[in-house]
Amino acid sequence: MPDSPTVHQRRLRIELRRAREAAGLTQEQAAKALEWSLSKIIRIEGGTVRVAVSDVRVMLQQYGVQPERFDEFLGLARAARETAWWSAYRRVLSPQMAELIGFESAAGVCREFQPLIIPGLLQTSAYAGEILTSLRSEDAAEQISELVEVRLRRQEIFEGDAPPRFFFVIDEAAIRRLVGGAAVMRAQLSHLLEMAKRPNVTIEIVPFEKGAHPGLSGPFKLIEFMEPEDDDVLYLEGAQGELIGRDYREEVVRYREKFEVLRRDSLGPEGSAVLLNTVAESL
């Protein structure tokens, strides 16, 4: 199983819910039997709190889970309570972004579409600093610096023996927007070209000539895991903040289909590299 507290917590809440349902108990009945508040059961199964190992043991006993499965559940509970590197940045990260990083760190495949800016995982330090300063102008320079640091640490996911497979689709508007001046943007586009050479990274540009397309509704990210028990995650980012879509399979499927349409509308990997070179040379 991937070494991510976020994924361990997600798997644990799913398994605890299944155990309760297998016991024929509603959330209300389980709360009454455990002498807990209903809200505690809801928070545990909703994944909004980290559940204590002792509470997991009590739940397993109440649900009649076979003793030979206790180690599996308790191992998940312990792993879910481990401290991840992004925990040190809680002061500047929203809970949704921290959760996204946790899912990213355990991903098997990541698909992302961005209509206006370069995806965070592909940003250079200078480009990220310009973007974050513009989007979070109310934050102090120290906070912006920490956010840039987080963005660069997230990019360590590209390294390792078995990194995830990445598919990025970017609207031409993002590569044309002159962020930070010509030098910063030229370096950013050069970085995209270098990243696209990696065997596990595909970068495709949707050109202006395609006109209106499904991605105009906003940026999104789909994360798939290697373990079949772990459902895909949909991450939406918009004017109202970020949202992690979990356990909404129809919505995940809809966005997966939208992503494939955007890929078909793109110039493909080779054509996209040509456009990136052309734009970089024009700066």
Side-chain angles (χ1 to χ4, degrees):
M1 182 185 298
D3 187 20
S4 169
T6 304
V7 174
H8 289 302
Q9 180 175 331
R10 186 169 183 253
R11 176 79 65 79
L12 177 62
R13 72 177 181 81
I14 291 172
E15 293 299 331
L16 287 173
R17 185 193 67 214
R18 288 174 177 169
R20 172 182 58 75
E21 292 172 346
L25 297 173
T26 64
Q27 288 182 323
E28 292 84 353
Q29 290 168 334
K32 184 176 181 180
L34 290 163
E35 297 184 342
W36 292 350
S37 66
L38 175 58
S39 63
K40 180 173 180 176
I41 294 288
I42 292 173
R43 288 196 303 272
I44 288 173
E45 293 190 5
T48 58
V49 295
R50 290 194 296 180
V51 57
V53 175
S54 57
D55 283 346
V56 172
R57 190 184 300 276
V58 171
M59 294 171 81
L60 297 178
Q61 293 170 342
Q62 186 63 53
Y63 297 163
V65 174
Q66 295 299 312
E68 56 265 27
R69 293 199 64 198
F70 275 36
D71 286 345
E72 172 192 344
F73 280 88
L74 298 178
L76 282 173
R78 295 187 182 99
R81 298 185 67 82
E82 292 178 359
T83 302
W85 67 259
W86 53 89
S87 298
Y89 297 93
R90 283 184 183 143
R91 186 171 71 95
V92 295
L93 289 178
S94 68
Q96 294 93 335
M97 178 56 69
E99 192 171 20
L100 171 65
I101 296 172
F103 288 138
E104 276 182 351
S105 69
V109 179
C110 290
R111 295 177 172 84
E112 181 171 357
F113 170 72
Q114 279 288 348
L116 298 175
I117 63 174
I118 305 301
L121 286 173
L122 297 175
Q123 292 177 7
T124 64
S125 176
Y127 182 97
E130 293 287 342
I131 288 293
L132 289 166
T133 298
S134 298
L135 295 179
R136 304 185 58 152
S137 57
E138 72 282 0
D139 291 345
E142 181 184 356
Q143 291 175 297
I144 297 297
S145 178
E146 286 188 68
L147 287 167
V148 172
E149 191 174 318
V150 169
R151 193 151 293 188
L152 297 180
R153 289 200 64 177
R154 283 173 61 200
Q155 295 174 9
E156 294 175 4
I157 193 175
F158 290 109
E159 309 301 332
D161 297 330
R165 186 78 176 88
F166 294 91
F167 296 89
F168 296 99
V169 178
I170 307 169
D171 192 278
E172 185 175 348
I175 67 170
R176 294 282 186 183
R177 189 176 305 281
L178 198 61
V179 174
V184 169
M185 202 62 203
R186 192 181 306 114
Q188 175 62 73
L189 296 179
S190 296
H191 180 64
L192 291 182
L193 287 164
E194 286 301 311
M195 292 299 295
K197 294 177 182 178
R198 291 176 176 248
N200 63 316
V201 176
T202 299
I203 298 175
E204 297 169 303
I205 310 298
V206 179
F208 285 146
E209 65 192 47
K210 284 296 180 180
H213 57 71
L216 295 179
S217 58
F220 62 92
K221 185 165 189 165
L222 290 157
I223 300 176
E224 298 177 16
F225 305 97
M226 300 304 293
E227 298 291 337
E229 295 87 352
D230 295 321
D231 292 335
D232 299 347
V233 166
L234 168 66
Y235 177 83
L236 301 176
E237 183 178 348
Q240 300 304 314
E242 303 93 14
L243 167 69
I244 295 288
R246 299 175 301 188
D247 303 330
Y248 297 97
R249 294 186 180 180
E250 291 184 3
E251 193 75 351
V252 170
V253 169
R254 186 168 70 85
Y255 272 86
R256 181 73 170 80
E257 292 171 347
K258 179 186 292 190
F259 190 81
E260 291 307 313
V261 171
L262 290 166
R263 288 198 69 188
R264 290 196 295 271
D265 284 346
S266 79
L267 296 171
E270 294 79 13
S272 298
V274 171
L275 180 59
L276 286 168
N277 266 309
T278 300
V279 176
E281 290 173 358
S282 70
L283 296 174

